[in-house]
Amino acid sequence: MNSEKKMRAMDIAKIAGFILAGFALIVILYFTIWPSMPGYTQNYRLYNNTRIFGEADNSIDVLYVGHSKVYSGISPMEIYDEYGFTGFNCSQSLQMPWESYEFIKGIIKKQSLKVIAYDVGHLFYEHKRADKRNDDRAKWLNLFPFYDRHTSWKDGFKISRDYLKNNKFSVKVKATKDKGYTITGNEKPATPSKRYMEGFVKLYNLCKENDIELVLFSISTIKFWDYEWYLGTCKLAEEYGLKYLDMNQPEIKNEIGIDSKHDYRDSGDHLNYWGSMKASRYLGGWLKENTSLTDKRGTDEAKTFDEDLLKYKDYIAKNVPNYQGA
């Protein structure tokens, strides 16, 4: 009897050892032969970001790309309401340039994009701790390719459409003082780090290959933008032949109407609903003048956007204090 128990225990140990050895082999192979580019992350991050795969195929014309300042400061539905451009925020907290590239590489399999509006803030703002965290998460999740892969799940599992189009709605107000740029005359153009620049260049080439207009912008913020970043972006725009809108230039901020006492949710870092509405409509007007985007309102192509616009307006009316209408 004891002999049988020992044999059974040995069999279980062998099976467990085989499973552990197999897992170890997968890990070893991953770190030795897996592509070295960190950022195979197109489908694993923030759920709201991946909900673009719930949109009708070929219904999105423009992506607004960047980190949290984009999903806070740009409302695709405000732009659609005013100009008829069908768009979505391809942005998430501390999004890195190589993540933007990988994510968009997946999106163009489902969407025939015309324009990508690229916020250069996430090209200059480096966060080493977030870099490592995002890379580590990507490595683990890519060991299990069946996990959280919305592009491949789309046919089997329905992803609900997001009528906010990945805009972080907030009516919080935290006032601050906007002192504007400090310019000494000694500033030099900032240069993105090698890894960040590689992600941008890959996206630039992807746009060229797929006939997508790439334009640059910087969202209105007080905390994380300076004159050297502005000079660096001007140099980048000239080198690559790209149009650029800096929404932090004092005269442009005045045109937009950004009020530092009312339009930020966290003392000048991220725009709230009121700031987002102003910035979005200004960006939409600039895109109208500087890209080939066309008004899709009332067309068959934008049927889902017309439906979502009604939901969006209802949501805004219910959640904005003292809402008086746009």
Side-chain angles (χ1 to χ4, degrees), residues 118 120 123-124 189-190 192 197 200 204 214-218 225 228-246 286:
Y118 189 95
V120 289
L123 185 57
F124 288 97
M197 195 61 196
F200 171 79
Y204 171 81
L214 178 63
V215 296
L216 308 178
F217 77 103
S218 48
W225 190 252
E228 291 190 343
W229 285 8
Y230 166 72
L231 293 176
T233 305
C234 291
K235 182 178 178 181
L236 185 74
E238 182 177 2
E239 180 180 350
Y240 286 87
L242 303 175
K243 296 175 181 178
Y244 171 46
L245 168 67
D246 182 13
W286 185 84

Side-chain angles (χ1 to χ4, degrees), residues 10-254:
M10 289 178 64
D11 289 340
I12 292 173
K14 287 179 181 178
I15 293 171
F18 179 78
I19 292 172
L20 289 173
F23 180 78
L25 179 61
I26 291 172
V27 172
I28 291 169
L29 289 173
Y30 174 78
F31 285 105
T32 55
I33 66 173
W34 201 265
S36 60
M37 172 64 181
Y40 283 80
T41 56
Q42 67 186 45
N43 301 311
Y44 85 89
R45 292 286 294 284
L46 185 66
Y47 170 64
N48 284 336
N49 206 9
T50 63
R51 287 177 72 181
I52 190 171
F53 297 109
E55 299 289 329
D57 289 356
N58 302 318
S59 63
I60 305 294
D61 282 348
V62 54
L63 288 182
Y64 309 102
V65 180
H67 48 38
S68 58
K69 291 175 183 57
V70 172
Y71 72 57
S72 297
I74 298 300
S75 171
M77 291 309 293
E78 287 291 340
I79 295 176
Y80 180 74
D81 187 30
E82 182 75 13
Y83 299 100
F85 304 152
T86 55
F88 201 97
N89 282 341
C90 177
S91 61
Q92 54 204 336
S93 179
L94 294 173
Q95 181 162 298
M96 308 302 172
W98 55 91
E99 292 179 312
S100 296
Y101 164 72
E102 290 291 340
F103 201 47
I104 293 168
K105 193 167 67 171
I107 290 172
I108 61 176
K109 295 176 182 178
K110 298 291 182 180
Q111 301 292 339
S112 299
L113 301 176
K114 292 181 175 58
V115 173
I116 289 176
Y118 189 95
D119 176 53
V120 289
H122 83 306
L123 185 57
F124 288 97
Y125 177 61
E126 297 189 29
H127 196 296
K128 293 182 179 180
R129 184 180 296 178
D131 285 1
K132 185 178 186 307
R133 181 201 66 190
N134 296 349
D135 290 349
D136 289 345
R137 290 182 66 189
K139 287 176 180 177
W140 279 108
L141 288 167
N142 277 290
L143 288 174
F144 305 99
F146 55 83
Y147 179 75
D148 203 17
R149 284 292 190 255
H150 293 285
T151 45
S152 60
W153 285 12
K154 186 172 185 289
D155 294 331
F157 297 86
K158 183 172 178 59
I159 301 172
S160 60
R161 216 167 59 233
D162 178 13
Y163 56 81
L164 295 179
K165 309 305 177 190
N166 193 22
N167 168 234
K168 182 178 177 64
F169 173 84
S170 175
V171 291
K172 293 180 181 178
V173 176
K174 197 166 184 181
T176 189
K177 191 171 183 179
D178 189 354
K179 297 179 182 179
Y181 283 142
T182 299
I183 303 175
T184 65
N186 297 318
E187 290 82 8
K188 296 181 179 179
T191 302
S193 68
K194 180 181 178 182
R195 187 182 180 198
Y196 281 56
M197 195 61 196
E198 285 174 351
F200 171 79
V201 171
K202 285 192 173 187
L203 179 59
Y204 171 81
N205 290 331
L206 184 71
C207 289
K208 287 191 69 175
E209 292 165 6
N210 291 273
D211 197 26
I212 300 169
E213 295 177 65
L214 178 63
V215 296
L216 308 178
F217 77 103
S218 48
I219 192 72
S220 297
T221 182
I222 296 173
K223 287 188 174 181
F224 295 104
W225 190 252
D226 61 35
Y227 194 60
E228 291 190 343
W229 285 8
Y230 166 72
L231 293 176
T233 305
C234 291
K235 182 178 178 181
L236 185 74
E238 182 177 2
E239 180 180 350
Y240 286 87
L242 303 175
K243 296 175 181 178
Y244 171 46
L245 168 67
D246 182 13
M247 300 169 78
N248 291 293
Q249 290 289 306
E251 63 275 14
I252 292 180
K253 264 190 177 179
N254 288 335

